[in-house]
Amino acid sequence: MDKAIQRKQVLDHLNNMEKAEHQRKSRLIVGRLMEDPVFQKAGTVGVTVSAFPEVDTYELIQACWKTGKRVAVPKCWRKDRTMDFYALTDFNQLETVYMHLKEPKVEETVRLDAEAIDLLVVPGVVYTREGYRIGFGGGYYDRYLATYNGATQSLAFDVQLADRIFVEPHDIPVDAIHTESESIATGKVSG
């Protein structure tokens, strides 16, 4: 099946999820990530600031701050479709950019090199159990993952899992996927 069709089908389903169900499942998913030893050992966690219908990452970010973890959030550069991560210490350091996304205010945050991020929580729309993903279509994470050598995990609702997706040569699988009902080790090993 075509990536665009799979992406649309899953997004349509997610957009129709009731807010209460979305929040309940998001908490379960984030809880699974927080129980993962890779997350527990990570000093710096790279994570997007979620926008509905993505798994809610606000509680994850707050939990990281409470436990002394540094949080790094992405800033996308639309001109060349690249991104950098910036240390976020407060939600007031965010601004709303295109498509209502929240990104760090560059002048109020510190840029972090990829080597400083121990665990990167990679967003996506559709996933396979082998860790391959269909993203939102911008290719930002595909480009970033090409040179990132740390651990990678994803947060997804069960409905985002697919038996198969079209995999291209540049696609890089994540190490693990956490859903509301299970944590999936994909078999990929970082490093």
Side-chain angles (χ1 to χ4, degrees):
M1 184 185 296
D2 178 80
K3 278 187 176 186
I5 293 170
Q6 273 187 297
R7 181 185 295 119
K8 183 183 180 329
Q9 286 176 344
V10 171
L11 285 173
D12 285 348
H13 187 88
L14 293 176
N15 278 313
N16 288 317
M17 190 183 302
E18 290 184 15
K19 298 272 192 218
E21 179 186 11
H22 181 272
Q23 282 304 112
R24 181 183 65 78
K25 288 181 177 181
S26 287
R27 283 191 188 102
L28 290 170
I29 294 164
V30 168
R32 286 188 184 281
L33 170 69
M34 292 174 64
E35 292 171 1
D36 191 289
V38 173
F39 173 81
Q40 291 175 353
K41 291 178 196 166
T44 301
V45 177
V47 61
T48 57
V49 180
S50 62
F52 188 85
E54 294 175 288
V55 172
D56 189 326
T57 60
Y58 281 84
E59 287 185 27
L60 171 61
I61 292 169
Q62 290 173 321
C64 286
W65 288 337
K66 285 179 188 168
T67 58
K69 294 183 186 300
R70 184 167 58 173
V71 174
V73 296
K75 170 71 179 170
C76 295
W77 305 106
R78 293 178 69 195
K79 185 176 180 180
D80 60 1
R81 290 187 173 256
T82 61
M83 65 181 181
D84 292 312
F85 280 80
Y86 289 80
L88 187 75
T89 58
D90 190 286
F91 287 123
N92 290 326
Q93 295 172 322
L94 295 172
E95 63 183 343
T96 302
V97 296
Y98 67 98
M99 294 175 56
H100 306 289
L101 298 174
K102 300 277 187 187
E103 291 188 349
K105 297 176 185 173
V106 174
E107 64 279 0
E108 294 181 21
T109 53
V110 177
R111 185 184 169 280
L112 299 177
D113 291 330
E115 298 79 36
I117 301 171
D118 302 309
L119 170 62
L120 188 60
V121 180
V122 181
V125 180
V126 185
Y127 297 89
T128 66
R129 291 183 165 280
E130 295 76 35
Y132 288 101
R133 55 183 267 287
I134 296 174
F136 288 88
Y140 291 92
Y141 272 86
D142 290 327
R143 280 184 277 288
Y144 196 84
L145 289 172
T147 59
Y148 175 76
N149 293 314
T152 56
Q153 298 191 6
S154 290
L155 307 175
F157 297 101
D158 286 337
V159 71
Q160 292 178 262
L161 294 175
D163 292 331
R164 288 190 355 228
I165 62 171
F166 180 72
V167 177
E168 298 181 71
H170 66 267
D171 289 338
I172 299 169
V174 295
D175 303 327
I177 303 164
H178 302 283
T179 75
E180 68 266 29
S181 63
E182 64 182 320
S183 290
I184 304 162
T186 65
K188 179 198 174 256
V189 179
S190 288

